[in-house]
Amino acid sequence: MAVAVANVMRKPPPPSAFFTPAGLSDLSFLKLLAAMAGDIVSADSGEMPRYQRRNARCLVRRIITLVVLIEFLIETRRPLPNSAVLCFKELYIVVHRARILLEYCLQSSRLWLLLRNREISGYFQDLEREISTLLDVLPLSDFCLTADVREHVELLRRQVGSSRIYVDYEDEELWIQVLSFLEEFGKGRIPDVSDLKSTFTDRIGMMEARDFESEIEFLQNQINSHEGAVDTEADLATIDGVIAVVRYSRFSLFGAQEVKESNKRTTRRPPPLPVRDISALPKDFCCPISLELMRDPVVVPTGQTYDRHFITQWIAGGHQTCPNSGQNLGNAVLIPNRAIRSLISHWCAANGVASNSPATGSISASASTASKAALEANRATICILVHHLSTGENASKATAARELRMLAKIGKENRAMIGAEEKAISFLNLLLRSPNPNAQENAVTALLNLSINDANKTRIITQPGCLRSIIRVLRFGLTPESKENAAATLFSLSSIQEYKKRVVEEPGGVEALVWLLKRGRLRGKRDAIVALFNLSTHPDSWERMVGSGAVDALVGAVVEEDGVAEEAAGALALLARQRVVAVMLGWEEGAVAGLAGVMRVGSERGRENAAAALHEICRRGGAEVAERVARVPGVARVVQTVAVEGTKRARRKAAALARLLQRREWGPMPLPAPASGWRGAGWGVETTGEMSPVAVPVAVL
């Protein structure tokens, strides 16, 4: 996980996180150190980070001088005093950290480096100070250095001893320009396209659409893995806002042109940054909870000072006492400690340390401003994307659908805005019939993400032909993912009671779910079974479920125990409330044995569902069905076991089932046993339309 440079990590590893190799002679160790330092030096002739270039080159020059010293000692083969060995072991750790920092800068995105400009500069300064300390204690007089080597080392000592933190203020100004676009969107104004081009393309160097997409992907990863990478709500909102601006700029400057995966820049996750040395920090400037330099010191009622972020987390966790003193915090009013904050700022300035206080840390927009700006930028982007869906070429439509899919995935506001955009769902519906597998998959997944919003469920259901198109993708989709996401969309739509019947009655829908449950991948089976479960909750769905073979498929899922038995047992429990279904299940020994098996070895939820299903089968099926259930080997024993050891619900269902199995006076006589198989007109189930399970040709799907 990429970690931030704004702060020491939330849970910093101990100093022993970096170990020097053990068991090497002094000469072998020096050769290893020279090789590692040489790797860094060789990088100087290759690619260097676009930002932090000056700091990076300066660090490499320092290491070049150290390599000169190390190679001299290797050539002379003089034995090293113990103090020198210790210094070189510390230098090994410093060089290792330098390599990590340079890799971090090289692999991070442009905008991320601009956002963290000051903090990363502080990391470079930390390494300079550590090199200076090591040179001060290194016993150079014991090495018998030649004049030129001594001159190089003495010059390096003077340089690192007098160095100060370097922050590139042109980079700062460039980041401020990016934030100005956020402010424009926050005020309801759309930035001029020429200004966007000047900043992102001409100055930052994002020359192609793929560069914009790579930046978006990297920044989104920082949000998704923000523990330790994004420090405050303002940082999080700022990154989210910048992503929205970059996305709008991408489609404003380059349209919806397709970026092929082979041409897309891969965004590598940068290595974790080394932990900053906090041993030199004044103790009074560190938060007692995190041991970090305080960003926003506050005083609690007991008189102790903490960082606001960490004491707030402490209190939110339910603690009512002061971490240091153990006294009761009372009303826990937090008062800013401006005196300590001022002292921290002065100390940071005097020691060349990048201050992490809100006033002097990374430049961010306020959380409210950035959130509003992101909303408006996404709204503008959605308008562009819907326009491309309606008038663009096939490739542009596929790209627009993919981006709408991503927008609908990451925010409820985006889902609402896309759904409210005129004809957005209509155009996605048309794309479901595209011969392009990517276009079809992105369109159905976009509808799935949009359907999380209840208003969008209504728009999708009422859109002429949309439900039919989703079922067509479920049956004949061009990729397994398309079929699975179509099934998940039906599940989402059927979460509203009045839409369950519409989904059940749509020709071919239940049959396609049955096929996916029987022959799909594990994820597809789960999508199909939860959709069937949802549909089973409607009281009028059972005839359709029986006639389409859904009951047969659910029994098969219970018997096979292939990861979906729990959900299948739950659906059977619902369907068994109909007497016809209860009798069918009771007469099928395999179904009863399968449910008993789930009660015996299934999860807690599975045991509950299986007990409920058997209870409904016996209660609704009548005396003869209950007697058949009782005669299935192992049922009585597992019912007794669950009645004692199961969860509260499972025990209740098992106890009720046990009473039914022992009862002598039953309700009305059951329907006659079926002559053969599960399905047939003898069950009194009227089948219309595409109810036969063979209505979904396997070869086509």
Side-chain angles (χ1 to χ4, degrees):
M1 181 190 301
V3 296
V5 290
N7 256 349
V8 181
M9 293 171 59
R10 288 283 176 258
K11 294 180 180 178
S16 58
F18 299 115
F19 291 100
T20 55
L24 296 178
S25 65
D26 293 349
L27 182 61
S28 298
F29 178 75
L30 287 177
K31 289 180 178 179
L32 180 63
L33 177 57
M36 185 169 63
D39 291 341
I40 296 176
V41 172
S42 63
D44 185 46
S45 58
E47 185 181 5
M48 291 292 287
R50 184 180 183 91
Y51 301 104
Q52 294 293 337
R53 188 181 295 268
R54 175 170 166 176
N55 281 328
R57 289 197 182 280
C58 185
L59 178 60
V60 170
R61 286 196 297 270
R62 311 299 194 220
I63 293 175
I64 289 174
T65 303
L66 292 173
V67 169
V68 171
L69 171 62
I70 297 168
E71 289 180 344
F72 173 83
L73 296 176
I74 293 173
E75 291 175 1
T76 58
R77 295 178 176 269
R78 291 179 180 274
L80 299 177
N82 291 335
S83 59
V85 172
L86 291 175
C87 285
F88 282 117
K89 287 185 176 181
E90 289 298 319
L91 182 60
Y92 179 93
I93 296 175
V94 171
V95 172
H96 181 64
R97 292 172 60 187
R99 184 173 64 180
I100 292 176
L101 181 57
L102 291 171
E103 288 177 0
Y104 184 90
C105 293
L106 191 61
Q107 296 178 18
S108 294
S109 79
R110 301 171 177 91
L111 293 171
W112 180 255
L113 292 178
L114 288 176
L115 170 64
R116 297 301 186 190
N117 186 33
R118 298 187 186 186
E119 291 83 357
I120 296 178
S121 296
Y123 270 76
F124 279 101
Q125 177 61 21
D126 286 347
L127 292 174
E128 293 259 322
R129 292 170 58 206
E130 291 180 28
I131 293 173
S132 175
T133 301
L134 288 173
L135 290 177
D136 285 340
V137 299
L138 192 65
L140 296 176
S141 58
D142 295 341
F143 298 155
C144 299
L145 301 177
T146 60
D148 59 332
V149 174
R150 178 176 293 277
E151 183 179 350
H152 278 87
V153 175
E154 290 295 342
L155 176 61
L156 174 60
R157 177 187 283 174
R158 290 194 299 270
Q159 288 173 339
V160 294
S162 61
S163 67
R164 292 290 181 266
I165 186 171
Y166 172 75
V167 178
D168 191 326
Y169 289 100
E170 288 187 9
D171 293 348
E172 292 283 277
E173 188 274 331
L174 188 54
W175 178 246
I176 291 172
Q177 178 62 42
V178 172
L179 294 184
S180 72
F181 297 140
L182 269 181
E183 294 179 4
E184 286 289 297
F185 277 112
K187 295 175 181 177
R189 299 193 296 262
I190 296 179
D192 190 89
V193 175
S194 61
D195 292 336
L196 295 174
K197 181 179 183 301
S198 173
T199 299
F200 289 111
T201 302
D202 299 339
R203 299 183 64 188
I204 298 180
M206 298 160 62
M207 308 300 295
E208 302 174 349
R210 63 180 181 179
D211 296 327
F212 284 78
E213 294 196 1
S214 296
E215 291 286 326
I216 292 171
E217 182 180 351
F218 185 95
L219 295 176
Q220 192 64 56
N221 286 339
Q222 304 313 305
I223 292 179
N224 295 341
S225 59
H226 71 271
E227 182 181 355
V230 181
D231 301 309
T232 66
E233 183 182 355
D235 280 344
L236 189 66
T238 298
I239 297 173
D240 193 44
V242 170
I243 290 174
V245 171
V246 173
R247 182 180 286 112
Y248 173 80
S249 302
R250 178 256 190 266
F251 288 100
S252 295
L253 297 175
F254 299 98
Q257 62 177 251
E258 182 181 11
V259 177
K260 295 183 179 179
E261 289 298 321
S262 58
N263 294 330
K264 188 174 180 180
R265 299 186 191 277
T266 57
T267 57
R268 296 176 294 176
R269 178 174 293 179
L273 282 176
V275 181
R276 299 192 66 176
D277 181 15
I278 61 173
S279 60
L281 297 178
K283 183 179 179 181
D284 292 340
F285 295 172
C286 296
C287 174
I289 298 175
S290 66
L291 302 181
E292 300 176 9
L293 188 67
M294 288 186 283
R295 290 170 55 87
D296 187 8
V298 293
V299 179
V300 298
T302 61
Q304 302 288 327
T305 298
Y306 300 94
D307 190 296
R308 182 185 298 274
H309 174 78
F310 293 101
I311 190 61
T312 301
Q313 281 190 338
W314 172 269
I315 296 171
H319 301 286
Q320 299 178 351
T321 58
C322 175
N324 250 4
S325 66
Q327 298 176 349
N328 195 299
L329 289 175
N331 56 8
V333 175
L334 305 180
I335 303 173
N337 192 332
R338 294 186 175 86
I340 288 292
R341 177 183 291 181
S342 176
L343 290 172
I344 291 174
S345 298
H346 287 304
W347 182 88
C348 289
N351 289 272
V353 175
S355 172
N356 291 323
S357 68
T360 59
S362 61
I363 303 174
S364 302
S366 69
S368 58
T369 299
S371 297
K372 181 180 179 182
L375 192 67
E376 295 303 321
N378 284 335
R379 191 191 307 276
T381 304
I382 289 167
C383 292
I384 296 175
L385 295 174
V386 173
H387 175 73
H388 283 291
L389 273 183
S390 63
T391 63
E393 301 291 334
N394 289 335
S396 297
K397 290 180 179 179
T399 301
R402 184 200 68 200
E403 207 62 34
L404 287 173
R405 164 187 177 175
M406 297 307 299
L407 283 169
K409 176 182 177 181
I410 61 178
K412 61 180 181 180
E413 297 86 359
N414 294 338
R415 290 190 281 271
M417 289 189 294
I418 295 171
E421 185 67 27
E422 186 178 4
K423 295 189 176 180
I425 291 176
S426 173
F427 294 136
L428 288 171
N429 176 32
L430 295 175
L431 208 56
L432 293 177
R433 295 179 176 269
S434 170
N436 183 333
N438 289 333
Q440 184 188 76
E441 182 181 329
N442 284 317
V444 72
T445 310
L447 289 172
L448 167 61
N449 293 339
L450 290 172
S451 69
I452 298 173
N453 178 289
D454 285 347
N456 288 339
K457 287 184 176 70
T458 302
R459 295 185 179 105
I460 293 171
I461 282 286
T462 57
Q463 176 65 40
C466 193
L467 180 58
R468 185 170 304 165
S469 296
I470 293 170
I471 290 176
R472 185 178 184 278
V473 173
L474 174 59
R475 299 176 64 189
F476 309 114
L478 301 176
T479 66
E481 290 77 11
S482 294
K483 296 177 183 179
E484 291 162 359
N485 290 341
T489 305
L490 294 184
F491 164 71
S492 178
L493 295 175
S494 62
S495 63
I496 294 182
Q497 185 69 12
E498 61 186 284
Y499 298 153
K500 288 180 171 65
K501 191 172 183 179
R502 296 187 64 166
V503 174
V504 168
E505 292 177 348
E506 190 67 34
V510 176
E511 289 82 0
L513 289 171
V514 169
W515 185 93
L516 191 61
L517 174 56
K518 287 182 175 181
R519 306 194 182 185
R521 303 183 303 186
L522 180 58
R523 182 200 157 194
K525 289 183 177 185
R526 285 174 174 161
D527 289 330
I529 208 164
V530 294
L532 290 171
F533 180 91
N534 245 11
L535 297 176
S536 301
T537 61
H538 194 281
D540 298 333
S541 67
W542 68 272
E543 291 188 16
R544 188 81 166 87
M545 301 289 274
V546 171
S548 65
V551 175
D552 189 16
L554 291 169
V555 169
V558 167
V559 173
E560 293 172 10
E561 297 183 0
D562 56 358
V564 293
E566 174 183 311
E567 294 86 352
L572 290 175
L574 293 170
L575 291 170
R577 294 176 181 177
Q578 298 297 326
R579 185 162 175 253
V580 171
V581 179
V583 173
M584 290 171 62
L585 294 172
W587 276 89
E588 176 60 38
E589 184 174 334
V592 176
L595 290 169
V598 175
M599 287 183 68
R600 184 170 56 254
V601 297
S603 64
E604 289 186 353
R605 181 67 179 274
R607 299 174 81 182
E608 291 174 359
N609 289 345
L614 286 176
H615 176 257
E616 292 294 341
I617 289 170
C618 293
R619 188 166 75 95
R620 308 281 183 176
E624 189 173 354
V625 168
E627 289 176 4
R628 290 182 63 87
V629 170
R631 287 197 296 268
V632 174
V635 169
R637 180 180 296 275
V638 76
V639 170
Q640 293 174 356
T641 300
V642 174
V644 175
E645 300 177 358
T647 63
K648 183 177 180 180
R649 177 173 179 258
R651 291 199 306 270
R652 187 175 68 250
K653 290 294 183 181
L657 175 59
R659 288 193 295 271
L660 284 175
L661 295 178
Q662 295 170 359
R663 187 176 301 171
R664 292 294 178 263
E665 294 183 6
W666 304 92
M669 290 299 294
L671 293 173
S676 62
W678 282 95
R679 296 172 285 281
W683 287 106
V685 179
E686 298 181 3
T687 59
T688 59
E690 300 183 32
M691 288 199 174
S692 171
V694 297
V696 186
V698 173
V700 178
L701 285 175

